[in-house]
Amino acid sequence: MTAPSLQERTVRLHASQLQGIRRRVDGLFAGLMAGQWVCGVLVALAFSPLAWEGKRTALSHVQTAVLLGAALCVLPLVLARCWPGTLPARQVMGVAQLLWSALFIHLTGGRIETHFHIFASLALLAFYRDAWVLLSASATTILDHFARGLLWPESVYGTADPAWWRFLEHAFWVAITNVVLLAACRVFQRESLESAERRAEVELAHEQKLHTQQQALVRAEQELRDFQQQYSRIEKLASMGQLAASISHELRNPLAAARTALSCVLLRVANLQDALTDSRILHFLDVTERELAVCARIISDVLDFARERPPQLTPCALRPLVDEVLGVVPTRAGVRLLNGVPESLPVPRLDRELFRMVLVNLVQNAVEAVPPGSGGTVRVHAEGGEAAPWRLRVVDDGPGIPAEVLPKIFEPLFTTKTQGTGLGLAIVSALVHKHGGTLSVRSEVGQGTEFLIELPSEALARTA
Ligand code: ADP
Ligand code: MG
């Protein structure tokens, strides 16, 4: 939607200003109507309770003031209350006001002073700033004078035989008043338009300034996002650089050991007879296999850390996944692995391959934490589904993590193990965040450690 132009704004502001004024004038006339009704009754009581001196009418003047006055008030009051500021309200108000003038003239027997009520009413009606209201009100009073001048002249002129053209005299003065009031209305209209135009200019300038500021903000946000992405790439590259140095260092020892072992095997193999009887050949082959396994682990951890792939969410039952993970993690004697995921747990949506990596790392860390020779238990629990967030726990009763080590365990390359890469938890944390979740740890020395993964339920909508 395009912003309104200066002209459209001016028209809108001018219309709303005029509307506000007309609503207030409707309120003013509503009060005036009620006041006139009271005054009408008082005038009738004071001047001519029954009729003019020596005359007879069907209704006494007090009755006329009460009944006709009430009838004149009803419609204007209803319109002013229910539809203030509308064209029908002000047209009815104008006609009713001039009928009030007619009633006052009638009650006072056509006294000349009462005729000034007409001019005062027209002046008040000019507050509506509407030429049509003035014209219809003027037509009402002229028609009233014409009709009553013919049918009931005492009621309007106080005499029984006025000249037939007397209403024209009255119409002339009404016309003069209208000319003055309409000129005043035009002046007001022009001033009000000018003020609306000034306000529209200010409004437009303010909106343009706001728009420019918003654009600047959007640009700044985009730049910040770009910068953050660039920063995280740089950070990653920096840690990859550190990693490269550490890998060369880590790989040098196992590879050197594997090479030495292999050259010994080759020497023995030169003399096949010796090789068959030499028991150290098997030892050397063992060393080679073990050290190459270490190299393979380092390389696969580095690749997992460096890999950038958004998760592809599919329905993935947790209990079978945990069974599979507990089956592949190399365990050691005395360590029990337990799957505590309920059979009935709803099926979340997650990236199976990435989540398998998360669980393998956490379970492997828990198994490795159990000191060699002593027993221990590693449990995996899960809960959630329906509207609740998903919670997965990997709990062990190992030695726990000392308080000074705890803040560092998620840093890449931090490890307390001689053969660790220190990348496992950094990978786990990144993968959980990619799923829109959080990873936290609770640990007590001597009691054990609990890793908690929390995933929002909406990110992992339940499948049927
Ligand atoms: P790595 O396993 O290669 O050392 P990780 O990032 O997986 O690297 O773990 C970092 C460190 O966190 C580990 O060296 C270990 O000190 C600590 N740690 C992780 N899990 C546990 C656990 N369940 N119990 C005790 N210490 C743990
Ligand atoms: Mg690890």
Side-chain angles (χ1 to χ4, degrees), residues 300-357:
S300 94
D301 271 6
V302 171
L303 284 178
D304 287 345
F305 182 66
R307 194 156 35 210
E308 286 258 12
R309 172 166 87 70
Q312 282 151 11
L313 304 183
T314 52
C316 171
L318 282 175
R319 193 174 162 85
L321 179 67
V322 171
D323 272 339
E324 188 182 321
V325 167
L326 298 185
V328 297
V329 170
T331 185
R332 58 170 70 142
V335 179
R336 285 195 308 152
L337 301 180
L338 298 177
N339 184 351
V341 179
E343 297 262 14
S344 57
L345 191 78
V347 178
R349 285 167 60 79
L350 29 86
D351 189 311
R352 197 173 194 285
E353 194 205 328
L354 298 185
F355 227 75
R356 184 174 178 274
M357 211 185 290

Side-chain angles (χ1 to χ4, degrees), residues 297 301 361-362 364-365 368 417 420-425:
R297 177 176 167 181
D301 271 6
N361 270 293
L362 293 179
Q364 191 161 348
N365 275 349
E368 286 170 358
K417 302 169 193 167
T421 59
L423 288 174
L425 289 180

Side-chain angles (χ1 to χ4, degrees), residues 100-254:
W100 263 109
S101 301
L103 182 58
F104 276 123
I105 292 168
H106 169 76
L107 292 176
T108 57
R111 287 172 75 106
I112 192 78
E113 298 88 343
T114 331
H115 280 78
F116 286 105
H117 188 274
I118 292 171
F119 303 109
S121 296
L122 288 174
L124 281 178
L125 287 171
F127 285 151
Y128 277 121
R129 276 86 171 175
D130 186 345
W132 293 109
V133 171
L134 283 176
L135 292 179
S136 59
S138 304
T140 306
T141 187
I142 292 168
L143 272 176
D144 167 57
H145 273 64
F146 174 66
R148 273 198 296 157
L150 288 181
L151 303 174
W152 200 3
E154 293 103 317
S155 154
V156 63
Y157 300 123
T159 159
D161 53 353
W164 69 268
W165 46 262
R166 183 114 180 236
F167 81 97
L168 287 177
E169 206 176 59
H170 171 77
F172 172 74
W173 288 112
V174 168
I176 296 283
T177 313
N178 270 326
V179 169
V180 174
L181 292 176
L182 287 174
C185 278
R186 275 184 64 123
V187 171
F188 167 79
Q189 203 82 335
R190 205 179 48 240
E191 283 176 356
S192 149
L193 253 175
E194 279 168 9
S195 118
E197 196 174 20
R198 276 196 300 277
R199 277 175 54 201
E201 275 168 4
V202 171
E203 210 178 69
L204 199 68
H206 183 68
E207 267 179 31
Q208 275 168 353
K209 193 172 155 198
L210 216 66
H211 183 66
T212 322
Q213 283 174 345
Q214 267 173 351
Q215 277 184 331
L217 206 68
V218 169
R219 264 202 309 277
E221 268 176 359
Q222 184 58 43
E223 277 169 19
L224 192 68
R225 264 201 302 277
D226 291 350
F227 176 75
Q228 276 172 339
Q229 277 176 3
Q230 215 175 347
Y231 181 74
S232 82
R233 266 200 301 274
I234 290 170
E235 216 179 23
K236 191 140 200 162
L237 280 176
S239 54
M240 288 304 290
Q242 277 182 11
L243 212 56
S246 128
I247 294 164
S248 348
H249 180 75
E250 295 290 327
L251 289 182
R252 199 169 47 200
N253 292 342

Side-chain angles (χ1 to χ4, degrees), residues 297 301 361-362 365-366 368-369 396 399-401 405 409 411 414-417 419-426 443 449 451:
R297 177 176 167 181
D301 271 6
N361 270 293
L362 293 179
N365 275 349
E368 286 170 358
D396 67 65
I401 307 173
V405 171
I409 60 170
E411 286 174 15
F414 175 82
T415 181
T416 54
K417 302 169 193 167
Q419 297 214 318
T421 59
L423 288 174
L425 289 180
S443 186
T449 304
F451 281 90

